[in-house]
Amino acid sequence: MSYDLMAFDPLKAPADKETFMKWYEQQVAWQEDGNYSDISVASENLRNFYIELTQSFPSMNVDEETFEAMEEAGTDNRLTEYGIREESIYVSFAWSIAEEAYSTMRELAEKHKVGFFNVSSTEGEIIVPE
């Protein structure tokens, strides 16, 4: 089980919650043979957001040497799974870093003017930049 958040392109996502949730379901309809690691498909704001977020929470798609070094340093819990689409980036963190992940991702979403959806929250908090 993971702690999941999502950043999204506010110009592509529906404004009302009911329609947003239907759109969200389409965003997470992962295909078995899909490539969800190519950041070049995302909007410029989402790309900039991703680049900065991965500085704190590296993609778990690292080489074995990097993984072993992180494991030895005790920072392998920071390895994060990213599902990248044209209109959104779905991010799965370890629960042990949930608070830091939430605050960092929310801050970066605001900075890069992308939307923020707290997937793991019971309220399903959705924040759209002004």
Side-chain angles (χ1 to χ4, degrees):
M1 188 121 182
S2 58
Y3 179 69
D4 300 336
L5 302 171
M6 186 173 87
F8 59 90
D9 183 335
L11 300 175
K12 305 286 181 165
D16 70 281
K17 187 164 185 172
E18 184 177 330
T19 310
F20 178 92
M21 293 308 294
K22 290 177 185 172
W23 173 84
Y24 161 76
E25 290 297 327
Q26 293 172 342
Q27 294 298 299
V28 297
W30 310 111
Q31 303 298 316
E32 192 71 30
D33 59 349
N35 176 8
Y36 303 107
S37 61
D38 183 4
I39 192 59
S40 71
V41 302
S43 68
E44 182 178 359
N45 288 1
L46 283 173
R47 286 193 307 269
N48 292 335
F49 163 84
Y50 172 83
I51 289 166
E52 194 163 348
L53 186 62
T54 56
Q55 291 173 13
S56 297
F57 303 98
S59 172
M60 64 182 357
N61 297 324
V62 294
D63 59 62
E64 191 173 328
E65 184 178 318
T66 302
F67 176 79
E68 288 172 1
M70 291 183 77
E71 188 175 42
E72 189 172 302
T75 59
D76 55 318
N77 67 332
R78 300 185 74 72
L79 290 173
T80 302
E81 185 173 9
Y82 294 89
I84 301 167
R85 304 205 44 148
E86 185 179 328
E87 300 173 357
S88 65
I89 301 176
Y90 191 95
V91 190
S92 297
F93 299 94
W95 272 100
S96 60
I97 58 170
E99 286 183 36
E100 182 186 359
Y102 176 90
S103 60
T104 301
M105 192 158 153
R106 185 162 172 186
E107 177 184 306
L108 291 177
E110 186 175 315
K111 176 181 178 181
H112 293 286
K113 299 184 178 4
V114 297
F116 174 86
F117 176 42
N118 188 344
V119 178
S120 290
S121 167
T122 54
E123 285 91 44
E125 172 186 31
I126 302 168
I127 300 171
V128 180
E130 296 294 323

